[in-house]
Amino acid sequence: MLSHERKTHLLSLLDEQGSVVAKDVSRELGLSEDTIRRDLRELARDGRLKRVHGGAVPIAPANAPFPGRVGIATPEKVEIGKRAAAMIEPGHVVFLDGGTTAIQLARHLPRHLDATVITHSPNIAMELLNHQGLEVEIVGGRLLRHSIVTSGAATIAWLGRYRPDICFIGATGLHPDQGITTGESEEAEVKRAVIEKSGSAVILASSEKFGAVSSFEVARWTNIDGLVVAEEASRKAAELFGHLGCEILSTNQTGSRR
Amino acid sequence: MLSHERKTHLLSLLDEQGSVVAKDVSRELGLSEDTIRRDLRELARDGRLKRVHGGAVPIAPANAPFPGRVGIATPEKVEIGKRAAAMIEPGHVVFLDGGTTAIQLARHLPRHLDATVITHSPNIAMELLNHQGLEVEIVGGRLLRHSIVTSGAATIAWLGRYRPDICFIGATGLHPDQGITTGESEEAEVKRAVIEKSGSAVILASSEKFGAVSSFEVARWTNIDGLVVAEEASRKAAELFGHLGCEILSTNQTGSRR
DNA sequence: CTTGACTCTGCACGTTTTTGCACGTTACTG
DNA sequence: CAGTAACGTGCAAAAACGTGCAGAGTCAAG
C-alpha cells in the first residue's frame, strides 16, 4: 500500500467519521502504529488535519464552508451507505433521496459506475460531481432548508417524468404496523411519489428509527421491496420487520434485487 | 507488448483504482519493475500522472472532499459579487446563474434578505442555505459537471414557469459587436431562456472577458439592461460597451434598475 | 541478405526512502 | 500521583529507486 493511499484513506476516514484513531487504522491496514503516526504527522504539517493525542481530527472542527452540509456520519450510516451503493449496477437509473445516509451512499458509489442518478437534493448532486461515469439529474422545486431537498407541487409534477429502476429513500420512522413515516409533510409527499414511480423501493434505515413513528406516512410495507440496515441491527430488523414482505439487506449478505 | 500499450494500461489502471503499484503491474504483465518504472517516469514527465514511492497516483486527486469546487475567488469577482448583491431588494424574485462570480453574489447577499432566488446551480443553492429569509427554487434537469448547473430541454421547459424580476448571468465573452457569448451550447440556451423571461437582465463580467468572443450567443446588447463590473474595469467597460444601451454598474455607483 | 543505427528491455550496483522496532519522554486517566 | 497509553527519535533492514550498460530486436540503407 502506497503512502499516498494511506493518507487519502486517513483523510476520507476523517471526513466520514469526524475523527481518526491511529491504533484502529494501524490494525485495519495491518501496519505499525508508527507508520500511521508518521502519516498523521505529515498531514498535520501540511495543514490537512489536526493532530491530537491518539489520532487526528479535522482541521477546523465543525467549521462549515457550507452550513450543515454533510451532517454527522455515524459508522452505522456509513455502513448502510456502502451496502446500498453496492446494490447499484451499471446501467441502472436510480433515485436518491436526500439525507445523511443517502450522502454516504453517494460517497461510496464506485467512482466510475456508469449509471443515472436522479435526486432532489443539491447536496447529493454536489457529492456526485466527482463520479465521472454518472449522469446526474436534479429534480427542481422549492428548496427545503432543513433537509436540503426540493419539494412542493413542482417537484411532484417533475417526478412524473421519471421511472427509476430503483429508489433509495430515507425515513425517520419504521414501525411494523404504522409503516414508513417521516416528520415533514412535503418531504413525505415527494417520497411517496418516488416510491410509486420506481421499479423497486429500498429504505435506508439506521437502527434508531426502528419502531418509531413520525407524523406523515411515506409508504406501507407492501410497497417496500428492501430495507438496508447495518449488520449489527439486522437481527432486530428481522424480528420487527421480517414478516412484512420486504427483503432485509445487511452488510454481510450479497446479491441485489430486480 | 508495446510501450504505448503499457502506458495506456497504466493510465487506465490509475483511472480505475486511483493508484498504481509498480511491483503489481510488473508481475501482472510479466515485465521487470524497471520497465514499469521507466514508463511511470515518462508519464510523470508528461504530466499524465504523479509519481510516488512505490507507484503512481492521479495528477489531480479528484478526491476533493466536498466543497472544493467553489472555484477561485479573485478580488475582482468578489467585488462584482458584492456590487450585484447590493442590487437585490426585498421582495425581488431573482434568477442566479451558476459560476464563480455568481457564487460571490450569493455569498454577499444580506443574511436576512427577504426575497426569492431561482437558480439552476446546486452549488448556488447550497451556498444560499445560510440565508434564512430567502426562498430558494432550484431548476432541475441534467447536471453539467463542468459548470455545475443543470441544462437541457427539461431545464428550459421548467424555466417557463418563472418570470423573475431580474436575472444575473455570467458569460465568457463580451464583445461590442458580437454581443454576449459563452463557451457551452447547452448553457447558452439556458441563459437565453432566462434572459427572455426576466424583467431585466444583468451580466456579471470580470474584465478578462471584455472584448472576447465565445462560440455560443447568449444575448445581444439590446436585451441586456445592466453590466456589473469592478471599479477598476469601469472605464474600459464604458469605452467598449457604453454606447450599447446597457447601464454599466461599478462599485462606486449606487442605485439599481426597475 | 548484410550492416549499422536505433530502441527497448532486463540486470547490476550504489543511493534514497520507507518501515518497524527499541527506548526514553510526554500526555492522559483514575 | 502513579500507571498506562501514546508519542517522538534514532537506527537498521528492506524495499524502491535511478543510472549505466549490454544483449535482443527492428528497420532502413546499401
Side-chain angles (χ1 to χ4, degrees):
Chain A
M1 167 166 253
L2 304 178
S3 146
H4 183 271
E5 281 181 277
R6 284 197 314 269
K7 289 182 182 174
T8 305
H9 181 66
L10 286 167
L11 287 173
S12 68
L13 277 179
L14 205 57
D15 195 40
E16 285 168 14
Q17 304 175 3
S19 68
V20 168
V21 179
K23 189 173 201 168
D24 295 350
V25 180
S26 83
R27 209 168 302 166
E28 176 195 348
L29 302 181
L31 296 163
S32 77
E33 287 182 48
D34 298 71
T35 302
I36 304 302
R37 275 204 292 268
R38 249 185 290 250
D39 289 341
L40 289 177
R41 235 176 293 164
E42 285 165 24
L43 286 168
R45 176 165 44 72
D46 297 347
R48 308 286 300 274
L49 50 74
K50 182 159 175 253
R51 192 80 171 80
V52 296
H53 203 87
V57 294
I59 194 76
N63 94 329
F66 286 103
R69 52 196 181 117
V70 181
I72 15 68
T74 65
E76 186 181 9
K77 287 178 181 182
V78 175
E79 188 184 337
I80 293 170
K82 276 187 194 165
R83 176 68 189 93
M87 294 173 65
I88 299 175
E89 289 169 20
H92 267 178
V93 175
V94 178
F95 182 92
L96 258 191
D97 198 4
T100 50
T101 312
I103 289 263
Q104 292 304 321
L105 196 170
R107 220 168 252 185
H108 290 101
L109 282 175
R111 203 156 210 72
H112 295 279
L113 180 67
D114 182 19
T116 301
V117 175
I118 306 163
T119 183
H120 61 141
S121 168
N123 211 0
I124 299 276
M126 291 300 292
E127 197 66 48
L128 294 174
L129 281 179
N130 281 328
H131 295 71
Q132 297 294 336
L134 288 182
E135 176 163 332
V136 178
E137 289 262 345
I138 299 180
V139 183
R142 192 161 49 80
L143 184 63
L144 292 184
R145 280 217 157 52
H146 177 258
S147 35
I148 321 187
V149 294
T150 60
S151 72
T155 305
I156 303 283
W158 200 255
L159 279 170
R161 299 178 172 232
Y162 300 113
R163 301 287 183 284
D165 295 312
I166 186 170
C167 67
F168 293 90
I169 303 293
T172 58
L174 284 82
H175 191 281
D177 303 330
Q178 304 298 324
I180 319 294
T181 49
T182 195
E184 222 274 336
S185 154
E186 296 256 31
E187 275 186 72
E189 288 304 318
V190 174
K191 290 174 202 276
R192 291 174 74 97
V194 170
I195 291 171
E196 191 190 330
K197 301 281 184 233
S198 295
S200 57
V202 175
I203 303 292
L204 305 174
S206 48
S207 57
E208 86 265 18
K209 320 281 175 62
F210 292 1
V213 180
S214 297
S215 302
F216 301 95
E217 180 178 276
V218 171
R220 314 233 155 207
W221 287 104
T222 48
N223 298 322
I224 301 302
D225 302 284
L227 186 63
V228 181
V229 301
E231 178 159 1
E232 207 177 327
S234 62
R235 234 176 52 93
K236 190 177 170 195
E239 278 173 27
L240 281 169
F241 314 122
H243 59 293
L244 296 165
C246 82
E247 191 176 355
I248 295 177
L249 306 140
S250 63
T251 29
N252 56 347
Q253 297 170 324
T254 51
S256 65
R257 295 175 65 78
R258 204 170 182 208
Chain B
M1 166 168 257
L2 302 177
S3 149
H4 183 266
E5 280 180 90
R6 284 198 313 270
K7 289 182 182 175
T8 306
H9 181 65
L10 285 167
L11 287 173
S12 69
L13 276 179
L14 203 58
D15 200 37
E16 285 163 23
Q17 305 175 3
S19 69
V20 166
V21 179
K23 191 174 201 168
D24 295 350
V25 180
S26 84
R27 210 169 301 166
E28 176 196 347
L29 301 181
L31 296 163
S32 76
E33 288 181 46
D34 298 70
T35 302
I36 305 301
R37 276 204 292 267
R38 248 185 291 251
D39 290 341
L40 289 178
R41 235 176 294 165
E42 286 164 23
L43 286 167
R45 177 166 43 72
D46 297 347
R48 307 287 300 276
L49 49 74
K50 186 171 168 230
R51 191 81 171 78
V52 297
H53 202 89
V57 295
I59 194 82
N63 175 24
F66 180 60
R69 299 283 193 137
V70 199
I72 15 65
T74 67
E76 186 181 8
K77 287 180 181 182
V78 174
E79 189 186 335
I80 293 171
K82 275 186 192 166
R83 176 66 190 93
M87 295 172 64
I88 300 173
E89 290 169 18
H92 266 178
V93 176
V94 177
F95 182 93
L96 258 191
D97 199 4
T100 51
T101 313
I103 289 262
Q104 292 305 321
L105 196 171
R107 226 168 246 184
H108 290 100
L109 282 174
R111 204 158 206 73
H112 295 283
L113 180 69
D114 182 19
T116 301
V117 174
I118 306 161
T119 182
H120 62 141
S121 167
N123 213 0
I124 300 276
M126 291 301 292
E127 196 68 39
L128 293 174
L129 283 177
N130 278 328
H131 296 71
Q132 296 295 334
L134 288 181
E135 176 163 331
V136 178
E137 290 261 344
I138 298 178
V139 185
R142 193 161 48 81
L143 184 64
L144 293 185
R145 278 218 158 54
H146 177 257
S147 35
I148 321 186
V149 294
T150 59
S151 74
T155 304
I156 303 282
W158 194 309
L159 278 171
R161 300 176 174 234
Y162 301 113
R163 299 289 183 280
D165 296 312
I166 186 170
C167 67
F168 293 90
I169 303 292
T172 58
L174 283 82
H175 191 280
D177 303 327
Q178 304 297 325
I180 319 295
T181 49
T182 196
E184 222 275 335
S185 153
E186 296 255 31
E187 275 187 72
E189 289 304 319
V190 174
K191 290 175 203 275
R192 292 175 73 99
V194 170
I195 292 171
E196 191 191 332
K197 300 278 186 238
S198 296
S200 58
V202 175
I203 302 292
L204 305 175
S206 47
S207 58
E208 87 263 17
K209 320 282 174 60
F210 293 0
V213 180
S214 297
S215 302
F216 302 95
E217 180 179 273
V218 171
R220 313 232 156 210
W221 287 104
T222 49
N223 299 321
I224 301 301
D225 302 284
L227 188 62
V228 181
V229 302
E231 179 161 358
E232 208 179 327
S234 61
R235 236 176 52 90
K236 189 177 171 195
E239 278 172 30
L240 281 169
F241 314 122
H243 60 291
L244 295 166
C246 82
E247 192 176 356
I248 295 178
L249 307 138
S250 64
T251 30
N252 58 343
Q253 298 171 321
T254 50
S256 66
R257 297 175 64 82
R258 189 143 193 233

